[in-house]
Structure formats: structure tokens, C-alpha cells
Amino acid sequence: EAFSERCRPNPFSRRSSNRLFFHTCFPHRSPEKMKKYDNNPLVYVAESPIHGKGLYARKALPNDTYIGTYEGPATQKDGMHVLWLYNEDTKKWEGINGQNEMRFLNHASKPNADWWGNDLYSIRDVAKDEEITFHYGEDWE
């Protein structure tokens, strides 16, 4: 199926004060390709009941645990794994084209993680093998 507009709401047209927007549509990957996302000691990538692949806790993570950093080149072009952050200083949206395991995070209306800049932290205790999620913003409800 072609990449559709429903998979990528425009972060620049947001009326809310939410600071984050994340793109969730991506093709399925083979297990061999998943190995390149297996270097974070706290999380792993696996099939998700939410959507495609997801990010899971390798071990129990206490509240306020640093999980990882969203890594990739800066972009102003929307894409399959772009995390949009609102820069309070410049008053502009800035994109990061994800190239590490953080790109597989899925949305939840009651998430267990959230961003501080491009660093992800648990916002409650996360059980071993629980999928790590964050709230993409009001447009996803």
C-alpha cells in the first residue's frame, strides 16, 4: 500500500501545545535486519501488537530511567521514522530521522515513557518484556 496521509499528520499544522510528533508507518523488517538495532542493553526490538515492530524492556526499568537517545540526522522533511521536536528557543519544529532502535517506538494513550529533548525516559516502572511507548500527541487520539 502506498504511503498515505493518515500515516503522517502534518506537525506544522498542530493547534495544540504538544511538543512531539512521531511518525509510525514503516515496513516490516526481517530478523536479520533487526540485529543492527540490538546494541542497547535496556531495550530490544520485536513484533508489536500495536503496530509493526516495537521497542521492549530487556529488564525491569524503574521510573525515571534513561532508556536511550533518538539518533539520526536532522531533517525538515517528513519521513517514516522522523521524530519532530518543538524547539522553544527558535519556535520551530525540528526533525530527527531515526536510525537507531528508538525509531520503533509506538504510540499509547497511557504511555510508559516520554522525551526530554531527544532522550527517552521511563515515566513509570516498566516491566521486563513490556513494550515501551510514548504519546504521539493529541492528533493521535
Side-chain angles (χ1 to χ4, degrees):
E1 178 180 329
F3 192 72
S4 69
E5 285 301 314
R6 70 176 171 76
C7 292
R8 56 180 187 139
N10 184 348
F12 302 101
S13 66
R14 298 171 64 86
R15 290 176 287 158
S16 70
S17 61
N18 287 337
R19 299 177 56 189
L20 297 172
F21 166 78
F22 186 72
H23 202 292
T24 61
C25 297
F26 50 85
H28 293 279
R29 304 277 191 229
S30 68
E32 296 79 34
K33 290 183 180 180
M34 288 294 102
K35 289 179 185 175
K36 79 179 201 175
Y37 301 109
D38 198 31
N39 60 358
N40 185 319
L42 299 179
V43 296
Y44 64 93
V45 176
E47 293 292 327
S48 169
I50 297 172
H51 178 82
K53 304 287 184 207
L55 195 66
Y56 293 83
R58 287 187 194 273
K59 60 182 183 178
L61 304 174
N63 183 32
D64 204 31
T65 297
Y66 166 77
I67 298 170
T69 299
Y70 203 89
E71 297 173 354
T75 185
Q76 285 300 308
K77 186 176 180 181
D78 199 7
M80 295 179 96
H81 300 286
V82 174
L83 172 70
W84 291 99
L85 301 168
Y86 188 75
N87 185 321
E88 296 287 341
D89 296 330
T90 65
K91 306 292 186 217
K92 294 182 179 178
W93 287 95
E94 298 173 350
I96 302 170
N97 191 5
Q99 295 184 342
N100 66 349
E101 68 281 350
M102 297 294 141
R103 69 192 273 165
F104 296 103
L105 287 158
N106 282 317
H107 166 81
S109 57
K110 294 182 180 179
N112 53 21
D114 204 357
W115 299 99
W116 183 260
N118 60 334
D119 292 333
L120 187 71
Y121 288 84
S122 60
I123 57 173
R124 64 166 174 77
D125 292 346
V126 179
K128 181 181 185 222
D129 298 319
E130 180 179 352
E131 184 167 5
I132 298 170
T133 59
F134 76 100
H135 194 289
Y136 289 2
E138 291 176 13
D139 291 346
W140 288 90
E141 291 304 312

